[in-house]
Amino acid sequence: ESDGPSNEKVEARPDSDSGDKVSASERQDGDDSDDEDQALWDQVRWAFLSSTKFAQALTLGSSLLKPEVTQRALTVRTTRFDLGGAESYSGTTRFDLGGAEAFQSMGYMGSLVSRRPILPPGVPPPTSTEIDFCFHYAHSEQYACGEALRSQPKRIGDVVLRVLVFPAGTDTGVARGSLSVFLEAVPQPNWPRDWEFANIRYGIACIRWPTGSGETWAAKKKSDLWTFKANRLDRGWHDFLAPGEIHRYLGPDGFVCIRGSLEQECLGRAFLLNQGSQAGYSGGVGEAAGSSASRRSWVPRSHPMEQQ
């Protein structure tokens, strides 16, 4: 009788050890899989996803993303819209947001990657009368002709403006592949029905990165005079950059930077209280004059290949 229990114990021991070994192996495989998943998620450029895609990713997060991955995505996303990027959380800049301790406690200070600049070195930040808009441009087929991108609106005086870009050109007869850029007024609920901002001198610039050592940044800029009103919301150029010219303005990460602005001389006319004080300029026909995004200001050239 004593041999029975003893034998059972001897037989049970290998089974138990074997079970432990299998369990450890499974755990190792699981750890490897987790590491691979983590490495994969680390490659996602969370900072540059559109708001729609980012929202979709968070929606899937409950079933596909680990909480720490979601938290990292939100953290990196925050640096995208912060003035100074990751360094702003260190408390070392004058834009200290007081968040260093919080991010250190989450263990993300070491994993935050310094934000890579979109503007070339030496370009001053936009002033209160300037609007910056940067968009990613990978290749000529990335955008459809007539597809529009818009910046966040900005209030300058009473007028609210945003940059309107057609990366592949408008569908109004301009050569396909042109970069069309406009400055667009964004009507506000409190504006009167017959609102008008007369004789607004505006400018649009496309900023170019240095092409070699010793060079500095440059910009191609156009300016015009226009009266923004309910039936004339935007003004700019359908052919701001010619087909193929956009590649000269791409940054290292493939971004194109547009800066819209109002000239200082017209700031007094950016308020509704001054409307009607002088006749509005409706625009002239000329090489330097801009046009609206929805209208042609010239007779379009024939492009047989595009009509096929």
Side-chain angles (χ1 to χ4, degrees):
E1 291 180 2
S2 61
D3 291 340
S6 176
N7 290 338
E8 287 178 0
K9 289 180 180 179
V10 170
E11 292 176 358
R13 235 178 242 128
D15 291 341
S16 177
D17 292 341
S18 175
D20 289 342
K21 290 180 180 179
V22 171
S23 177
S25 175
E26 290 175 347
R27 284 196 300 270
Q28 182 62 44
D29 291 342
D31 290 343
D32 291 343
S33 177
D34 289 345
D35 290 342
E36 292 176 0
D37 290 345
Q38 182 66 40
L40 179 62
W41 287 117
D42 285 343
Q43 298 304 311
V44 177
R45 302 180 69 190
W46 297 107
F48 300 105
L49 289 180
S50 67
S51 56
T52 301
K53 293 299 182 183
F54 189 72
Q56 292 175 352
L58 292 184
T59 301
L60 294 173
S62 57
S63 58
L64 297 178
L65 299 182
K66 290 184 176 181
E68 54 268 27
V69 175
T70 302
Q71 191 176 39
R72 172 172 172 77
L74 291 169
T75 302
V76 176
R77 185 75 170 179
T78 301
T79 69
R80 168 75 168 82
F81 296 102
D82 177 62
L83 290 171
E87 67 274 12
S88 290
Y89 297 98
S90 66
T92 60
T93 72
R94 64 188 182 95
F95 297 112
D96 181 19
L97 301 182
E101 293 182 1
F103 280 88
Q104 285 175 346
S105 67
M106 291 188 296
Y108 282 107
M109 286 303 297
S111 61
L112 280 178
V113 179
S114 297
R115 185 170 149 193
R116 300 182 68 175
I118 294 179
L119 289 174
V123 176
T127 66
S128 59
T129 60
E130 295 176 330
I131 310 168
D132 276 7
F133 181 49
C134 300
F135 63 94
H136 193 261
Y137 187 93
H139 50 80
S140 60
E141 302 301 322
Q142 182 179 358
Y143 300 96
C145 181
E147 182 178 353
L149 303 177
R150 288 177 167 87
S151 71
Q152 290 295 316
K154 183 172 184 176
R155 182 180 297 275
I156 304 173
D158 284 334
V159 65
V160 179
L161 298 167
R162 62 188 172 193
V163 175
L164 170 61
V165 176
F166 296 83
T170 58
D171 54 0
T172 56
V174 67
R176 179 172 177 80
S178 301
L179 178 69
S180 306
V181 190
F182 306 87
L183 207 58
E184 181 182 47
V186 184
Q188 302 298 297
N190 61 312
W191 288 2
R193 181 176 301 178
D194 58 345
W195 64 269
E196 179 180 291
F197 297 94
N199 299 335
I200 299 297
R201 173 71 65 178
Y202 71 94
I204 296 175
C206 188
I207 301 174
R208 188 174 67 184
W209 283 70
T211 56
S213 60
E215 292 189 6
T216 59
W217 65 277
K220 180 175 184 177
K221 184 175 181 179
K222 296 183 179 183
S223 62
D224 191 18
L225 190 68
W226 183 244
T227 293
F228 293 91
K229 48 188 175 181
N231 62 342
R232 295 290 186 268
L233 291 179
D234 61 77
R235 190 72 169 175
W237 289 267
H238 294 261
D239 56 349
F240 190 90
L241 293 181
E245 190 179 2
I246 191 172
H247 295 285
R248 297 170 54 194
Y249 293 85
L250 291 179
D253 293 323
F255 283 90
V256 180
C257 301
I258 304 293
R259 175 168 289 182
S261 62
L262 292 192
E263 302 297 335
Q264 297 286 339
E265 66 186 56
C266 68
L267 288 183
R269 298 188 289 276
F271 294 88
L272 288 171
L273 56 88
N274 288 330
Q275 67 172 341
S277 61
Q278 47 189 311
Y281 176 75
S282 59
V285 178
E287 189 175 26
S291 60
S292 294
S294 58
R295 304 196 325 279
R296 298 185 180 94
S297 62
W298 68 90
V299 178
R301 293 170 293 184
S302 177
H303 300 286
M305 295 299 293
E306 291 180 12
Q307 296 174 358
Q308 292 180 357

